[in-house]
Structures are given as structure tokens and as C-alpha cells.
Amino acid sequence: MNAPVFDNRDCGTCPIRHRAVCARCEQDELEYLDTIKYYRSYEAGQPVVWSGDQIDFVATVVSGVAALTQTMEDGRTQMIGLLLPSDFLGRPGHEKAHFDVTAISDLTLCCFRRRPFEKLLASSPHVSQRLLEMTLDELDAAREWMLVLGRKTAREKIASLLAIIARRESRLRLEDSTDGCTFELPLTREAMADYLGLTLETVSRQISALKRAGVITLRGNRQVTVPDFARLIAESGDDADGGMLP
Amino acid sequence: MNAPVFDNRDCGTCPIRHRAVCARCEQDELEYLDTIKYYRSYEAGQPVVWSGDQIDFVATVVSGVAALTQTMEDGRTQMIGLLLPSDFLGRPGHEKAHFDVTAISDLTLCCFRRRPFEKLLASSPHVSQRLLEMTLDELDAAREWMLVLGRKTAREKIASLLAIIARRESRLRLEDSTDGCTFELPLTREAMADYLGLTLETVSRQISALKRAGVITLRGNRQVTVPDFARLIAESGDDADGGMLP
DNA sequence: GATCGGCCTTGATCCAGATCAACCGCGAAG
DNA sequence: CTTCGCGGTTGATCTGGATCAAGGCCGATC
């Protein structure tokens, strides 16, 4: 009960994690958070919430991958966000979910009961500030993605997605690997298509094309190796430096 | 100096506007905000900030329309957001702009110097909470738009855009006009194309098609009348009720 | 009132990606 | 070992929207 709640062993990815090391944190808030926290796991493929559901929690991803999607009546679906470990899920202040959330791999969430979490937000500027920061990051990412969806070719879309995944994966491991990184694709071809606004056939063809061109190497269907990262970036149509590294 | 800073006559659209009527507000914060606030106007077509610029302010739109856009080296551009009166512009915590901002019509901003604004954010949960709320709304809007960009046909895209503008315009005027609303398009065909991920020719053709089909009526190139709003929504491919009205 | 430059429309043609369809590889279930 | 089903690949064809091109409308300028 007196142990720090958000140390990295326990749940390294909570939005409020900096509080555990923040000199300004007050113990009573940590204890409060402890009382409203619980863990939840989902198997690959399981739905987490449906659009329109009443939601009584917010959460962060501890491990695994989740997809945020939107579906039209006729079945066309668009993935709207990919939640990797450390991403935040939920919408303080709203009763109902706006989007579907599905576990794409086995998934563990660190959940907070919504009402008490909102109470904490209202009273603690540190927490709402941290959440604001994360939300602004997500907004930037969503806007970057709008350029991908609206203006890029199929090949550029694939390259952009691979670059994003590679960057996120390798940042979680080591900063150094400038060249020659290898990672596991957490998505099926169909999920990639839903993310990119393409069909799965086009995704498959373009991945084959990138392989043929030597931009990537595949072991099996999922394990990707990028021998020359700059080459991949060039294929993605992005500015070499990624534009605006802060 | 003692007058409330954020009453509706003065600047009805500031992100912190609820503080003016919030019982919990403290006068010294209002006075503080007063000292960091200034107004700025732009003519239609003028750039407000370029991507990469050092930015020392955040702002809200008082009147007019601004566009957030992103451009690739080869000139392809995607509009990423449309800022109408009451929308927030800027990124507390970041030195540099990630996107271009352009005045699309004559534009007035209510600006706050960034550093002091950030200081206020850090000390006042009300302000950061209000901003968080606005950012979450923007994120939802961006995600809705990803479905439009990724999965809708040209015709559905146009109908979606018209529906959004109609809703925002008429909400600013009167809630009632369920049917038969008329509004002025704040965008050129080219700007619409940039927003929708289309070419201006396709925009023009689809608007003509909607006109021919009787879904809309035009007076001149810009003034649009929607005789039957439900019809427009049907064309947009959205669920009749818009999904998830809070 | 002639000319010019934005903004918009319309037509003809082209092509990237969708659609339809066949098939492969592989692990799980019988 | 066979079968089944899921995820993936590849080929053939179709098509919605891009591209290229020619004007039209209208307000501003000389």
C-alpha cells in the first residue's frame, strides 16, 4: 500500500508514470490511484470495446497491440489508430466509446475506473498535463496519417507503415540501430490494408514489390528486415529527416 | 485591468472561456491571462505559420477560417484540419510548428504568449482540463476524417464535407434548422480537394453531380442550400444519426 | 470596354488500385 | 494421413478518379 504504484516493473507504461519519479508528486495521489487500478487481459482477436458501449474505465497498454477501428454499415472499415505498449486508451469525460477497439495480439491493459480517474484529473494539474501531452502527440500522429491516407501511393503507404512500426519497435529496444533493423509485423495483411485504406491484395503485391526491389527482406510472412532504413524512408515519400524531430 | 478577460463580447471563443463563469476561478489567473493576450489579423490567403517555424504563441480563432496543411516535397498537399471560430491553434510544450497554417478567409486570432500560457497550464487544472477536452474533441474529429480519407468514394467525401460545414455553421447560428439550411462555402474547390484527398476537377464534377441529383442547390459557386439534410447524410455514407451524438 | 488572372466547369483519355478468381503453405482437428 | 480453414500470393480484368486540355465566368485594372 505504501509502495510506489507506477514504477517500471509494475506498470511501466501508465500515462501518469512520471509521477513515480516526480519530486512534486504527493503520496496520497499515488495511493488514490492504487485503489482504482486493475489489470485486464485479452486474447488475440478478442474485442475490447464496441463503438457505442458504455465505458467505465480508461487504460494504458502494458503489452500487446490493439487496433482502433471504425466501420461503415456496408462493412468498409478503417483503422484509426494502433495502440502499442505505453499508449493511452479511453476518453475521460465521455460515457460511450466512439470507436471499436480490438486486441490484435494477446493484450494486457492497465485500467483505471473512469469516475475516480476524472476526479483525479480535476484535482491534479500534473496528471491532466501529462495526459494533454499524450493526447497532443496522438493528434499529431493522426494528422500525419491523414497525409498518408489522402495523398500517398500504395507503395508509399506500405513503406510509411513499415517505417512507423520499425521506429516504434526499435525505440522500445535500443536507440542505436541506425541501420539493419529487424522486427515482427504485429498485423495481418488485412489489418494493414484497413490501416492504409487499401485492399489486402494491394498490400500483398506492394510488399512483394518492396522485397523484389531489395528494400526489405522477409523471413516467413511476418518477420521483416530493413537493411537500409534511409532507403525505406525514401520509398515512403517522407522528408529524409522525418520533418520535425523535436 | 479588473474586468473579466474572457467574457463573450471580448473574445467569446477562448479555450479557457468557461473560467469567466466558473465559480472556482480566481481573479489573479484572469488578470494574468490578460497580460499575455493580444489580437492578430490576417488577410485571406496569408500564411500564419510555416511548418518548422519557431512559435511563441498559442491562439484561438475569433473570426474567419484557417487551414492546417501538410505538403510533400513534390507538392502534394493534404489539409489536416480546418480551424473555424472557437478552435484552438498551437501546441503548448513544443517550440516549432509541425504544420503550415494559412488564413483561408480574413482571419482574427486571439493569441497568448506561449511561455506564460504554459506556466498557467502547469498551475491551473481548470485550464489544462479544458484544453484536454478540446484536444480530445479534435482527435476524435481527426479520426472521423481518417475514415473519410481512407474508405469513402469521391461523392461520399464531398457530401461528408458539406455536412460537416453545414452542421458547424448552423450550430453557430441556431439549433433548430433541421431542414433547408443555407450556408456559404468557406473553401475554394482546390482547398476542398486538399481536404478530401481529391483533385479539384473531381470536386467540381461531384458537386455538379449532387446538384443535378437535387441533393443541393447552388447560388453562385459558394452559396449552398441543402433542401433535405437527411438526403445529404445518406449520400455521405454515414449512419443516419451520425453515430454517437453525446 | 478591353484585357487579365482567379476560380470554376466540362470533356477525353489514362492508369493505379479495386475486384474477381485461383491457388499455395501450413498448422490444427479428426 | 487427410481434411479444413486461415492467411497469404499471384494473375486477369475492370473502373473511379487522376491527368491533360480547352473554355467559361467574373471582378479588377488600365
Side-chain angles (χ1 to χ4, degrees), chain B residues 48-49 57-61 66 68 83 87-92 101 107 109 138:
Chain B
V48 178
V49 298
F57 67 93
V58 297
T60 56
V61 177
L68 266 171
L83 299 180
D87 282 337
F88 184 78
L89 164 64
R91 175 80 207 242
V101 183
L107 178 72
L109 298 181
E138 264 183 280

Side-chain angles (χ1 to χ4, degrees), chain B residues 154 198-199 201-202 205:
Chain B
L198 298 171
T199 58
E201 293 95 327
T202 299
R205 275 187 251 272

Side-chain angles (χ1 to χ4, degrees), chain A residues 60-157:
Chain A
T60 56
V61 177
V62 176
S63 67
V65 185
L68 266 170
T69 59
Q70 228 177 162
T71 303
M72 298 172 66
E73 302 101 276
D74 62 7
R76 283 177 280 176
T77 86
Q78 175 66 48
M79 199 185 298
I80 260 168
L82 200 55
L83 300 180
L84 301 186
S86 94
D87 282 335
F88 183 78
L89 164 65
R91 175 77 207 244
H94 277 222
E95 295 266 303
K96 301 198 170 181
H98 288 54
F99 309 117
D100 299 329
V101 182
T102 316
I104 272 194
S105 65
D106 290 350
L107 178 73
T108 304
L109 297 181
C110 171
C111 305
F112 302 89
R113 294 193 297 119
R114 189 164 61 78
R115 289 291 188 190
F117 188 85
E118 286 167 0
K119 244 169 64 185
L120 184 66
L121 274 187
S123 65
S124 161
H126 299 94
V127 177
S128 59
Q129 248 190 296
R130 169 81 183 123
L131 198 52
L132 176 59
E133 208 177 289
M134 297 180 69
T135 307
L136 284 166
D137 282 342
E138 265 184 280
L139 183 57
D140 275 356
R143 285 173 163 167
E144 297 273 359
W145 204 250
M146 288 172 66
L147 177 65
V148 175
L149 288 174
R151 293 300 184 192
K152 291 195 177 180
T153 64
R155 180 147 176 176
E156 289 169 337
K157 284 178 176 182

Side-chain angles (χ1 to χ4, degrees), chain A residues 16-51:
Chain A
I16 324 95
R17 69 177 185 284
H18 79 297
R19 296 186 61 75
V21 295
C22 171
R24 295 172 298 185
C25 294
E26 284 144 36
Q27 184 58 33
D28 58 353
E29 284 180 9
L30 293 179
E31 285 172 4
Y32 180 66
L33 274 169
D34 200 18
T35 65
I36 65 173
K37 181 176 98 168
Y38 58 97
Y39 291 90
R40 194 162 203 122
S41 289
Y42 302 85
E43 285 171 31
Q46 254 189 312
V48 178
V49 299
W50 294 113
S51 173

Side-chain angles (χ1 to χ4, degrees), chain A residues 169-204:
Chain A
E169 292 280 316
S170 57
R171 190 158 300 168
L172 288 180
R173 289 187 230 153
L174 277 172
E175 276 289 347
D176 60 346
S177 60
T178 322
D179 277 333
C181 65
T182 295
F183 56 93
E184 202 75 16
L185 271 180
L187 302 173
T188 64
R189 299 291 186 263
E190 190 181 18
M192 294 173 74
D194 283 344
Y195 201 16
L196 297 165
L198 298 170
T199 59
L200 67 91
E201 293 96 329
T202 299
V203 170
S204 180

